[in-house]
Coordinates of all heavy atoms in Angstrom, one line a residue:
M1 N 76.4 -19.7 37.2 CA 75.5 -20.1 36.2 C 75.4 -21.7 36.2 O 76.3 -22.3 36.7 CB 75.9 -19.7 34.8 CG 77.1 -20.3 34.2 SD 77.5 -19.8 32.5 CE 78.0 -18.1 32.8
I2 N 74.3 -22.2 35.7 CA 74.1 -23.7 35.7 C 74.1 -24.2 34.3 O 73.4 -23.6 33.4 CB 72.8 -24.0 36.4 CG1 72.8 -23.5 37.9 CG2 72.5 -25.5 36.3 CD1 71.5 -23.7 38.6
V3 N 74.8 -25.3 34.0 CA 74.9 -25.9 32.7 C 74.7 -27.4 32.9 O 74.8 -27.9 34.1 CB 76.2 -25.6 32.0 CG1 76.3 -24.1 31.8 CG2 77.4 -26.1 32.7
R4 N 74.5 -28.1 31.9 CA 74.5 -29.6 31.9 C 75.6 -30.1 31.0 O 75.8 -29.6 29.9 CB 73.2 -30.1 31.4 CG 72.0 -30.0 32.3 CD 70.8 -30.7 31.7 NE 69.8 -30.9 32.7 CZ 69.8 -31.9 33.6 NH1 70.8 -32.7 33.6 NH2 68.9 -32.0 34.5
V5 N 76.3 -31.1 31.4 CA 77.4 -31.8 30.6 C 77.0 -33.2 30.6 O 77.0 -33.9 31.7 CB 78.8 -31.5 31.2 CG1 79.8 -32.3 30.4 CG2 79.1 -30.0 31.2
D6 N 76.7 -33.7 29.4 CA 76.2 -35.1 29.3 C 75.2 -35.5 30.3 O 75.3 -36.6 30.9 CB 77.5 -36.0 29.3 CG 78.3 -35.9 28.0 OD1 77.7 -35.6 26.9 OD2 79.5 -36.2 28.0
G7 N 74.3 -34.6 30.5 CA 73.2 -34.9 31.4 C 73.4 -34.5 32.9 O 72.4 -34.5 33.7
E8 N 74.6 -34.2 33.2 CA 74.9 -33.9 34.6 C 74.9 -32.4 34.8 O 75.6 -31.6 34.1 CB 76.3 -34.4 35.0 CG 76.7 -34.1 36.4 CD 78.1 -34.6 36.8 OE1 78.7 -35.3 35.9 OE2 78.6 -34.2 37.9
E9 N 74.1 -31.9 35.8 CA 74.0 -30.5 36.1 C 75.2 -30.0 36.9 O 75.5 -30.6 37.9 CB 72.7 -30.2 36.8 CG 72.3 -28.7 36.8 CD 70.9 -28.6 37.3 OE1 69.9 -28.7 36.5 OE2 70.7 -28.3 38.5
L10 N 75.7 -28.8 36.5 CA 76.9 -28.3 37.1 C 76.8 -26.8 37.3 O 76.1 -26.1 36.6 CB 78.2 -28.5 36.3 CG 78.5 -29.9 35.8 CD1 79.5 -29.9 34.7 CD2 79.0 -30.7 37.0
V11 N 77.5 -26.3 38.3 CA 77.6 -24.8 38.5 C 79.0 -24.4 38.1 O 80.0 -25.0 38.5 CB 77.3 -24.5 40.0 CG1 77.5 -23.0 40.2 CG2 76.0 -24.9 40.5
T12 N 79.0 -23.4 37.2 CA 80.3 -22.8 36.8 C 80.2 -21.3 36.7 O 79.2 -20.7 36.7 CB 80.7 -23.5 35.4 OG1 82.0 -23.1 35.0 CG2 79.7 -23.1 34.3
E13 N 81.4 -20.7 36.5 CA 81.4 -19.3 36.4 C 81.4 -18.8 34.9 O 81.7 -19.6 34.1 CB 82.7 -18.7 37.1 CG 84.0 -19.1 36.4 CD 84.6 -20.4 36.9 OE1 83.9 -21.1 37.7 OE2 85.7 -20.7 36.5
S14 N 81.0 -17.6 34.7 CA 81.0 -17.1 33.3 C 82.4 -16.7 32.8 O 83.3 -16.7 33.6 CB 80.1 -15.8 33.3 OG 80.7 -14.8 34.1
G15 N 82.5 -16.6 31.5 CA 83.8 -16.2 30.9 C 84.6 -17.4 30.6 O 85.8 -17.2 30.2
R16 N 84.1 -18.5 30.7 CA 84.9 -19.7 30.4 C 84.4 -20.4 29.1 O 83.2 -20.4 28.9 CB 84.7 -20.7 31.6 CG 85.2 -22.1 31.5 CD 84.9 -22.8 32.8 NE 86.1 -22.7 33.6 CZ 86.2 -23.4 34.8 NH1 85.2 -24.1 35.2 NH2 87.2 -23.3 35.5
T17 N 85.3 -20.9 28.3 CA 84.9 -21.6 27.1 C 84.4 -23.0 27.5 O 84.6 -23.5 28.6 CB 86.0 -21.8 26.1 OG1 87.0 -22.6 26.7 CG2 86.6 -20.4 25.7
V18 N 83.6 -23.6 26.5 CA 83.2 -25.0 26.8 C 84.4 -25.9 26.9 O 84.4 -26.7 27.8 CB 82.3 -25.4 25.6 CG1 81.9 -26.9 25.7 CG2 81.0 -24.6 25.5
A19 N 85.4 -25.7 26.1 CA 86.6 -26.5 26.3 C 87.2 -26.3 27.6 O 87.7 -27.3 28.3 CB 87.6 -26.2 25.2
G20 N 87.3 -25.1 28.1 CA 87.9 -24.8 29.4 C 87.1 -25.5 30.5 O 87.7 -26.0 31.5
L21 N 85.8 -25.5 30.4 CA 84.9 -26.2 31.4 C 85.2 -27.7 31.4 O 85.4 -28.3 32.4 CB 83.5 -25.9 31.1 CG 82.4 -26.7 31.9 CD1 82.6 -26.4 33.4 CD2 81.0 -26.5 31.4
L22 N 85.2 -28.2 30.1 CA 85.4 -29.7 30.0 C 86.8 -30.1 30.6 O 86.9 -31.1 31.3 CB 85.2 -30.1 28.6 CG 83.8 -30.0 28.1 CD1 83.7 -30.2 26.6 CD2 82.8 -30.9 28.8
L23 N 87.8 -29.3 30.3 CA 89.1 -29.6 30.8 C 89.2 -29.5 32.3 O 89.8 -30.3 33.0 CB 90.2 -28.7 30.1 CG 90.5 -28.9 28.6 CD1 91.3 -27.8 28.1 CD2 91.1 -30.3 28.4
A24 N 88.5 -28.5 32.8 CA 88.5 -28.3 34.3 C 87.8 -29.5 35.0 O 88.0 -29.8 36.1 CB 87.8 -27.0 34.6
L25 N 86.9 -30.2 34.2 CA 86.2 -31.3 34.7 C 87.1 -32.6 34.6 O 86.6 -33.7 35.0 CB 84.9 -31.6 34.0 CG 83.8 -30.5 34.2 CD1 82.6 -30.7 33.3 CD2 83.4 -30.5 35.7
G26 N 88.2 -32.4 34.0 CA 89.1 -33.6 33.8 C 88.9 -34.4 32.5 O 89.5 -35.4 32.4
R27 N 88.1 -33.8 31.7 CA 87.8 -34.5 30.4 C 88.9 -34.1 29.4 O 89.3 -32.9 29.3 CB 86.5 -34.0 29.8 CG 85.3 -34.3 30.8 CD 84.7 -35.6 30.6 NE 84.2 -35.8 29.3 CZ 82.9 -35.6 28.9 NH1 82.0 -35.1 29.7 NH2 82.5 -35.9 27.7
V28 N 89.5 -35.0 28.7 CA 90.5 -34.7 27.6 C 90.0 -35.0 26.3 O 90.6 -34.6 25.3 CB 91.8 -35.4 27.9 CG1 92.5 -34.9 29.2 CG2 91.6 -36.9 27.9
S29 N 88.8 -35.7 26.2 CA 88.2 -35.9 24.9 C 86.7 -35.9 25.0 O 86.2 -36.2 26.1 CB 88.6 -37.3 24.3 OG 88.2 -38.3 25.0
W30 N 86.0 -35.4 24.0 CA 84.5 -35.3 24.1 C 83.9 -35.5 22.7 O 82.7 -35.2 22.5 CB 84.1 -34.0 24.7 CG 84.8 -32.8 24.2 CD1 84.5 -32.1 23.1 CD2 85.9 -32.1 24.8 NE1 85.3 -31.1 22.9 CE2 86.2 -31.0 24.0 CE3 86.6 -32.3 25.9 CZ2 87.2 -30.2 24.2 CZ3 87.7 -31.5 26.2 CH2 88.0 -30.4 25.4
R31 N 84.6 -36.0 21.8 CA 84.0 -36.4 20.5 C 84.9 -37.5 20.0 O 86.0 -37.8 20.4 CB 83.9 -35.3 19.5 CG 85.1 -35.0 18.7 CD 84.8 -34.2 17.5 NE 85.9 -33.9 16.7 CZ 86.4 -34.6 15.6 NH1 85.7 -35.6 15.2 NH2 87.4 -34.2 15.0
T32 N 84.3 -38.2 19.0 CA 85.1 -39.3 18.3 C 85.1 -39.0 16.8 O 84.3 -38.2 16.3 CB 84.4 -40.7 18.5 OG1 83.0 -40.6 18.0 CG2 84.4 -41.1 20.0
T33 N 86.1 -39.5 16.2 CA 86.3 -39.3 14.7 C 85.3 -40.1 14.0 O 84.8 -41.1 14.4 CB 87.7 -39.6 14.3 OG1 87.9 -41.0 14.6 CG2 88.7 -38.8 15.0
R34 N 85.0 -39.6 12.7 CA 84.0 -40.3 11.9 C 84.6 -41.7 11.5 O 83.9 -42.7 11.4 CB 83.7 -39.5 10.6 CG 82.7 -38.4 10.9 CD 82.5 -37.6 9.6 NE 83.7 -36.9 9.3 CZ 83.9 -36.2 8.2 NH1 83.0 -36.2 7.3 NH2 85.0 -35.5 8.0
G35 N 85.8 -41.7 11.1 CA 86.5 -42.9 10.6 C 87.3 -43.6 11.7 O 88.5 -43.3 11.8
G36 N 86.7 -44.4 12.5 CA 87.5 -45.2 13.5 C 87.1 -44.9 14.9 O 87.6 -45.6 15.8
G37 N 86.3 -43.8 15.1 CA 85.9 -43.6 16.5 C 87.0 -43.2 17.5 O 86.8 -43.5 18.7
R38 N 88.0 -42.6 17.0 CA 89.1 -42.2 17.9 C 88.8 -41.0 18.7 O 88.1 -40.1 18.2 CB 90.4 -42.0 17.1 CG 90.9 -43.3 16.5 CD 92.2 -43.1 15.7 NE 92.0 -42.2 14.6 CZ 91.6 -42.5 13.4 NH1 91.3 -43.7 13.1 NH2 91.5 -41.6 12.4
P39 N 89.2 -40.9 19.9 CA 88.9 -39.8 20.8 C 89.5 -38.5 20.4 O 90.7 -38.5 20.0 CB 89.3 -40.2 22.2 CG 90.4 -41.2 21.9 CD 90.1 -41.9 20.6
R40 N 88.8 -37.3 20.5 CA 89.3 -36.0 20.2 C 88.9 -35.0 21.3 O 87.8 -35.2 21.8 CB 88.9 -35.5 18.8 CG 89.5 -36.3 17.7 CD 91.0 -36.1 17.5 NE 91.5 -36.7 16.4 CZ 92.1 -37.9 16.4 NH1 92.1 -38.6 17.5 NH2 92.6 -38.4 15.3
G41 N 89.7 -34.0 21.5 CA 89.4 -32.9 22.4 C 90.0 -31.7 21.8 O 90.0 -31.4 20.7
V42 N 90.7 -30.9 22.7 CA 91.4 -29.7 22.2 C 92.7 -30.1 21.6 O 93.4 -30.9 22.1 CB 91.6 -28.7 23.4 CG1 92.6 -27.6 23.0 CG2 90.3 -28.1 23.9
F43 N 93.0 -29.5 20.4 CA 94.3 -29.6 19.8 C 94.9 -28.3 19.6 O 95.9 -27.9 20.2 CB 94.2 -30.4 18.5 CG 95.5 -30.6 17.8 CD1 96.4 -31.5 18.4 CD2 95.8 -30.0 16.6 CE1 97.6 -31.7 17.8 CE2 97.0 -30.2 16.0 CZ 97.9 -31.1 16.6
C44 N 94.3 -27.4 18.7 CA 94.9 -26.1 18.5 C 94.5 -25.1 19.5 O 95.3 -24.2 19.9 CB 94.6 -25.6 17.1 SG 92.9 -25.1 16.9
G45 N 93.3 -25.1 20.0 CA 92.8 -24.2 21.0 C 92.5 -22.8 20.5 O 92.2 -21.9 21.2
I46 N 92.6 -22.6 19.1 CA 92.3 -21.3 18.5 C 91.3 -21.3 17.4 O 91.2 -20.4 16.6 CB 93.6 -20.7 18.0 CG1 94.3 -21.6 17.0 CG2 94.6 -20.4 19.2 CD1 95.5 -20.9 16.3
G47 N 90.5 -22.4 17.3 CA 89.4 -22.5 16.4 C 89.7 -22.9 15.0 O 88.9 -22.8 14.1
V48 N 90.9 -23.5 14.8 CA 91.3 -23.8 13.4 C 91.2 -25.3 13.1 O 90.7 -25.7 12.0 CB 92.8 -23.4 13.2 CG1 93.3 -23.9 11.9 CG2 93.0 -21.9 13.3
C49 N 91.5 -26.2 14.0 CA 91.5 -27.6 13.7 C 90.2 -28.4 13.7 O 90.1 -29.4 13.1 CB 92.5 -28.3 14.6 SG 91.9 -28.5 16.3
H50 N 89.2 -27.9 14.4 CA 87.9 -28.5 14.6 C 88.0 -29.9 15.3 O 87.1 -30.7 15.2 CB 87.2 -28.7 13.2 CG 86.8 -27.3 12.6 ND1 87.7 -26.5 12.0 CD2 85.6 -26.7 12.6 CE1 87.0 -25.4 11.6 NE2 85.7 -25.5 12.0
D51 N 89.0 -30.1 16.0 CA 89.1 -31.3 16.8 C 88.2 -31.3 18.0 O 87.8 -32.4 18.5 CB 90.5 -31.6 17.3 CG 91.3 -32.6 16.4 OD1 90.7 -33.0 15.4 OD2 92.4 -33.0 16.8
C52 N 87.8 -30.1 18.5 CA 87.1 -30.0 19.8 C 85.6 -30.0 19.6 O 84.9 -29.5 20.5 CB 87.6 -28.7 20.5 SG 87.2 -27.2 19.6
L53 N 85.1 -30.4 18.5 CA 83.6 -30.3 18.2 C 82.8 -31.0 19.3 O 83.1 -32.0 19.8 CB 83.3 -30.9 16.9 CG 84.0 -30.3 15.7 CD1 83.6 -31.0 14.4 CD2 83.7 -28.8 15.6
V54 N 81.6 -30.3 19.6 CA 80.8 -30.8 20.7 C 79.3 -30.3 20.3 O 79.2 -29.5 19.5 CB 81.3 -30.2 22.0 CG1 81.1 -28.7 22.1 CG2 80.6 -30.8 23.2
V55 N 78.4 -30.9 20.9 CA 77.0 -30.6 20.7 C 76.6 -29.6 21.9 O 76.7 -29.9 23.0 CB 76.1 -31.8 20.7 CG1 74.6 -31.4 20.5 CG2 76.5 -32.8 19.7
V56 N 76.1 -28.4 21.5 CA 75.6 -27.5 22.5 C 74.2 -27.1 22.2 O 73.9 -26.6 21.0 CB 76.5 -26.2 22.5 CG1 76.0 -25.2 23.5 CG2 77.9 -26.5 22.8
N57 N 73.3 -27.3 23.1 CA 71.9 -27.0 22.9 C 71.3 -27.7 21.6 O 70.5 -27.0 20.9 CB 71.6 -25.5 23.0 CG 72.1 -24.9 24.3 OD1 72.1 -25.5 25.3 ND2 72.6 -23.7 24.2
G58 N 71.7 -28.8 21.3 CA 71.2 -29.6 20.2 C 71.9 -29.3 18.9 O 71.7 -29.9 17.9
A59 N 72.8 -28.3 18.8 CA 73.5 -27.9 17.6 C 74.9 -28.6 17.6 O 75.7 -28.4 18.5 CB 73.7 -26.4 17.6
A60 N 75.1 -29.5 16.6 CA 76.4 -30.2 16.5 C 77.5 -29.3 15.9 O 77.2 -28.3 15.4 CB 76.2 -31.4 15.6
D61 N 78.7 -29.8 16.0 CA 79.9 -29.2 15.4 C 80.2 -27.8 15.9 O 80.7 -27.0 15.2 CB 79.7 -29.1 13.8 CG 79.6 -30.5 13.2 OD1 80.1 -31.5 13.8 OD2 79.1 -30.6 12.1
V62 N 79.9 -27.6 17.2 CA 80.3 -26.4 17.9 C 81.7 -26.5 18.3 O 82.1 -27.5 19.0 CB 79.4 -26.1 19.1 CG1 79.9 -24.9 19.9 CG2 77.9 -25.9 18.6
R63 N 82.6 -25.6 18.0 CA 84.0 -25.6 18.4 C 84.0 -25.2 19.9 O 83.8 -24.0 20.3 CB 84.9 -24.7 17.6 CG 85.0 -25.2 16.2 CD 85.7 -24.3 15.3 NE 84.8 -23.1 15.1 CZ 85.2 -22.0 14.5 NH1 86.5 -21.8 14.1 NH2 84.4 -21.0 14.4
A64 N 84.4 -26.2 20.7 CA 84.4 -26.0 22.2 C 85.4 -24.9 22.6 O 85.2 -24.2 23.6 CB 84.6 -27.3 22.9
C65 N 86.4 -24.8 21.9 CA 87.5 -23.8 22.3 C 87.1 -22.4 21.9 O 87.7 -21.4 22.4 CB 88.8 -24.1 21.6 SG 88.9 -23.9 19.8
Q66 N 86.0 -22.2 21.1 CA 85.6 -20.8 20.7 C 84.3 -20.4 21.4 O 83.9 -19.2 21.3 CB 85.4 -20.8 19.2 CG 86.7 -21.1 18.5 CD 87.8 -20.1 18.7 OE1 87.7 -18.9 18.4 NE2 88.8 -20.5 19.4
R67 N 83.5 -21.3 21.9 CA 82.2 -21.0 22.4 C 82.3 -20.8 23.9 O 82.7 -21.7 24.7 CB 81.3 -22.2 22.1 CG 79.9 -22.2 22.7 CD 79.0 -21.1 22.3 NE 77.6 -21.4 22.4 CZ 77.0 -21.5 23.6 NH1 77.6 -21.3 24.7 NH2 75.7 -21.8 23.6
L68 N 81.8 -19.6 24.4 CA 81.7 -19.3 25.8 C 80.5 -20.0 26.4 O 79.5 -20.1 25.7 CB 81.6 -17.8 26.1 CG 82.9 -17.0 25.7 CD1 82.6 -15.5 26.0 CD2 84.1 -17.4 26.6
V69 N 80.7 -20.6 27.6 CA 79.6 -21.2 28.3 C 78.5 -20.2 28.6 O 78.9 -19.1 29.1 CB 80.1 -21.9 29.5 CG1 78.9 -22.4 30.4 CG2 81.0 -23.0 29.2
R70 N 77.2 -20.5 28.4 CA 76.1 -19.6 28.8 C 75.2 -20.3 29.8 O 75.1 -21.5 29.7 CB 75.4 -19.2 27.6 CG 76.2 -18.4 26.6 CD 75.4 -17.9 25.4 NE 76.2 -17.5 24.3 CZ 76.1 -17.8 23.0 NH1 75.2 -18.6 22.6 NH2 77.0 -17.4 22.2
D71 N 74.6 -19.6 30.6 CA 73.7 -20.2 31.6 C 72.6 -21.0 30.9 O 72.0 -20.6 29.9 CB 73.0 -19.0 32.4 CG 72.2 -19.6 33.6 OD1 72.7 -20.6 34.2 OD2 71.1 -19.1 33.8
G72 N 72.4 -22.2 31.3 CA 71.4 -23.1 30.8 C 71.9 -24.0 29.7 O 71.1 -24.8 29.1
D73 N 73.1 -23.8 29.2 CA 73.6 -24.6 28.1 C 73.5 -26.1 28.4 O 73.8 -26.6 29.6 CB 75.1 -24.3 27.9 CG 75.3 -23.1 27.0 OD1 74.3 -22.7 26.3 OD2 76.5 -22.7 26.9
D74 N 73.2 -26.9 27.4 CA 73.2 -28.4 27.5 C 74.3 -28.8 26.5 O 74.1 -28.8 25.3 CB 71.8 -28.9 27.0 CG 71.7 -30.4 27.1 OD1 72.5 -31.0 27.9 OD2 70.8 -30.9 26.5
I75 N 75.4 -29.3 27.1 CA 76.6 -29.7 26.4 C 76.7 -31.2 26.4 O 76.6 -31.8 27.4 CB 77.8 -29.1 27.1 CG1 77.7 -27.5 27.1 CG2 79.1 -29.5 26.4 CD1 78.6 -26.9 28.2
R76 N 76.9 -31.7 25.1 CA 76.9 -33.2 25.0 C 78.1 -33.6 24.1 O 78.5 -33.0 23.2 CB 75.6 -33.7 24.4 CG 74.4 -33.4 25.3 CD 73.2 -34.2 24.9 NE 72.1 -33.9 25.8 CZ 72.0 -34.6 26.9 NH1 72.7 -35.6 27.2 NH2 71.0 -34.3 27.8
T77 N 78.6 -34.8 24.5 CA 79.6 -35.5 23.7 C 79.1 -35.7 22.3 O 77.9 -36.0 22.1 CB 79.9 -36.8 24.4 OG1 80.4 -36.5 25.7 CG2 81.0 -37.5 23.6
Q78 N 80.0 -35.5 21.3 CA 79.6 -35.7 19.9 C 80.3 -36.9 19.4 O 81.5 -37.2 19.6 CB 80.0 -34.5 19.1 CG 79.7 -34.6 17.7 CD 79.7 -33.2 17.0 OE1 79.4 -32.2 17.5 NE2 80.1 -33.2 15.7
D79 N 79.5 -37.7 18.6 CA 80.0 -38.9 17.9 C 80.2 -38.5 16.4 O 79.3 -38.3 15.7 CB 79.0 -40.0 18.0 CG 79.5 -41.3 17.5 OD1 80.7 -41.5 17.5 OD2 78.7 -42.2 17.2
G80 N 81.5 -38.4 16.0 CA 81.8 -38.0 14.7 C 81.6 -36.6 14.5 O 81.6 -35.8 15.4
A81 N 81.5 -36.2 13.2 CA 81.3 -34.8 12.8 C 80.5 -34.6 11.6 O 80.4 -35.6 10.8 CB 82.7 -34.1 12.6
E82 N 79.8 -33.5 11.4 CA 79.0 -33.3 10.1 C 79.9 -32.5 9.1 O 79.4 -32.3 8.0 CB 77.8 -32.5 10.5 CG 76.9 -33.1 11.5 CD 76.4 -34.5 11.1 OE1 76.1 -34.6 9.9 OE2 76.4 -35.4 11.9
L83 N 81.1 -32.1 9.4 CA 81.8 -31.3 8.5 C 82.3 -32.2 7.3 O 82.5 -33.4 7.4 CB 83.1 -30.8 9.2 CG 82.8 -29.8 10.3 CD1 84.1 -29.4 11.0 CD2 82.2 -28.5 9.7
P84 N 82.5 -31.6 6.1 CA 83.0 -32.3 5.0 C 84.4 -32.9 5.3 O 85.2 -32.4 6.0 CB 83.1 -31.3 3.9 CG 82.9 -30.0 4.5 CD 82.3 -30.2 5.8
A85 N 84.7 -34.1 4.6 CA 86.0 -34.7 4.8 C 87.1 -33.9 4.3 O 87.0 -33.1 3.4 CB 86.0 -36.1 4.2
Ligands
FES101 S1 90.8 -27.0 19.5 FE1 91.2 -26.6 17.4 S2 89.3 -25.7 16.8 FE2 89.0 -26.0 18.9

């Protein structure tokens, strides 16, 4: 399948989470915190902490550790989060 990560087109296999794909690419962070812009990536890996938020197909606050990559996905780094403090 073909996906885009921050505008770069990549070929990847199915059954992989967005976080798994990003980690395989060598990325350890893909969003920043609202207060201070500190880098975040996977922390819990089970959908609880919301540290791994990313933009997928224009939708913000997608948990990368819970979302399986789908053909044609457009995955983008997220600046901050829309979730309540
Ligand atoms: S790493 Fe904690 S919700 Fe994804």
Side-chain angles (χ1 to χ4, degrees):
M1 73 176 66
I2 298 173
V3 300
R4 285 185 164 281
V5 176
D6 286 333
E8 181 183 352
E9 195 168 276
L10 305 166
V11 176
T12 187
E13 66 271 9
S14 61
R16 171 178 266 185
T17 63
V18 172
L21 170 63
L22 294 171
L23 290 170
L25 293 172
R27 305 270 300 264
V28 294
S29 67
W30 46 83
R31 83 163 177 98
T32 55
T33 59
R34 284 178 289 173
R38 292 181 300 274
R40 292 292 185 266
V42 168
F43 183 68
C44 73
I46 58 172
V48 175
C49 73
H50 292 77
D51 260 7
C52 64
L53 300 178
V54 68
V55 179
V56 179
N57 301 329
D61 297 337
V62 174
R63 289 172 294 171
C65 69
Q66 299 297 296
R67 170 66 154 71
L68 291 176
V69 173
R70 298 181 193 135
D71 190 39
D73 276 348
D74 183 19
I75 299 160
R76 297 197 178 269
T77 301
Q78 181 164 324
D79 188 23
E82 301 299 322
L83 295 174

